[in-house]
């Protein structure tokens, strides 16, 4: 009798059935490991060990994959938010909301490509709506009217989800620091105040940075400024 080999056992091992959930989790893992540019239907098929055409039974196209990974990330965010230890909104709505937003940011820091995908979606996922419904519930419990809660969402913008939408996002092979240095050299004569400000700004927290100018300190600085301002408006009855 011919001895069985490891290859024989691998061949006979039953495959995990392909499903939409499995495809989307694989897409997240692929983007985490190799970057968003790697997320093609062919690479995704290789990731799950299937023919590329078989993916289309579960996701219609690449845009459907992007829609799906947003759902996966939001599920992670909601799970993280549910585990947050913070005062009740009735007791301290600022601390409650701040803790939940920073918990959401931690999820994005694990998936640094995810904000860009979220920004490009043309429809609003039910998962995103569910998250914002949770935010409004905290504001309402803290004494906000629906009108002031509406205004608060506009002011918070993407910060409610844990990241800052940036006005500029340098691309290319150079690092953000190299890009900033080159830009300052070109602009120094025409825009001395902007150049002076950029030269004084320090971004030395790679573990807490999501974008060109979205590091943890600046994010929390802006978040606290917004929350304190909203509390003053709430207390004033606006």
């Amino acid at each position: 009798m011919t001895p069985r080999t490891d290859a024989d056992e691998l061949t006979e091992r039953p495959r995990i059935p392909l499903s939409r959930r499995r495809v989307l989790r694989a897409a997240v893992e692929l983007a985490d490991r190799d970057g968003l540019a790697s997320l093609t239907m062919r690479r995704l098929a290789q990731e799950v060990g299937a023919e590329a055409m078989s993916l289309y039974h579960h996701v219609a196209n690449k845009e459907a994959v992007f829609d799906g990974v947003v759902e996966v990330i939001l599920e992670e965010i909601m799970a993280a938010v549910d585990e947050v230890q913070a005062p009740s909104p009735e007791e301290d709505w600022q601390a409650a909301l701040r803790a939940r937003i920073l918990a959401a940011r931690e999820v994005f820091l694990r998936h640094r490509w995810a904000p860009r995908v979220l920004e490009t979606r043309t429809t609003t996922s039910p998962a995103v709506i569910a998250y914002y419904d949770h935010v409004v519930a905290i504001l309402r419990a803290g004494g906000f009217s629906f009108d002031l809660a509406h205004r608060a969402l506009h002011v918070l913008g993407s910060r409610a989800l844990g990241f800052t939408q940036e006005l500029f996002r340098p691309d290319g092979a150079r690092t953000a620091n190299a890009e900033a240095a080159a830009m300052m050299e070109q602009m120094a004569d025409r825009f001395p105040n902007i150049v002076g400000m950029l030269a004084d700004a320090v971004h030395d927290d790679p573990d807490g940075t999501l974008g060109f100018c979205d590091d943890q300190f600046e994010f929390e600085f802006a978040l606290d400024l917004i929350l304190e301002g909203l509390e003053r408006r709430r207390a004033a009855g606006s």
Side-chain angles (χ1 to χ4, degrees), residues 63-83:
E63 288 302 310
V65 174
F66 287 153
D67 287 340
V69 298
V70 167
E71 294 175 18
V72 173
I73 299 301
L74 263 294
E75 286 175 7
E76 285 190 38
I77 287 174
M78 293 300 283
V81 163
D82 286 343
E83 295 177 0

Side-chain angles (χ1 to χ4, degrees), residues 14-162:
R15 288 186 176 183
I16 301 173
L18 201 59
S19 65
R20 182 175 182 271
R21 179 70 179 177
R22 184 181 166 210
V23 170
L24 296 178
R25 288 303 315 177
V28 170
E29 292 170 7
L30 179 59
D32 285 344
R33 187 181 68 241
D34 297 334
L36 192 59
S38 70
L39 191 49
T40 64
M41 297 301 276
R42 177 173 293 183
R43 286 288 306 278
L44 186 53
Q46 293 172 351
E47 193 78 3
V48 297
E51 295 292 333
M53 291 302 297
S54 64
L55 296 183
Y56 293 98
H57 295 293
H58 306 282
V59 286
N61 48 42
K62 188 175 178 179
E63 288 302 310
V65 174
F66 287 153
D67 287 340
V69 298
V70 167
E71 294 175 18
V72 173
I73 299 301
L74 263 294
E75 286 175 7
E76 285 190 38
I77 287 174
M78 293 300 283
V81 163
D82 286 343
E83 295 177 0
V84 165
Q85 300 295 317
S88 68
E90 292 84 359
E91 178 185 349
D92 187 343
W93 74 267
Q94 284 181 255
L97 185 54
R98 186 182 194 276
R100 285 160 175 79
I101 288 174
L102 294 182
R105 183 175 176 85
E106 285 296 320
V107 174
F108 280 114
L109 287 170
R110 295 199 296 269
H111 311 289
R112 295 170 189 265
W113 48 269
R116 282 188 290 160
V117 175
L118 193 59
E119 289 171 345
T120 63
R121 297 305 84 204
T122 57
T123 59
T124 304
S125 163
V128 175
I129 296 173
Y131 179 85
Y132 276 103
D133 186 76
H134 189 73
V135 171
V136 173
I138 292 174
L139 295 173
R140 291 285 291 159
F144 282 61
S145 66
F146 278 123
D147 183 57
L148 188 55
H150 180 208
R151 296 176 187 176
L153 290 189
H154 278 290
V155 173
L156 283 164
S158 66
R159 288 188 182 89
L161 277 165

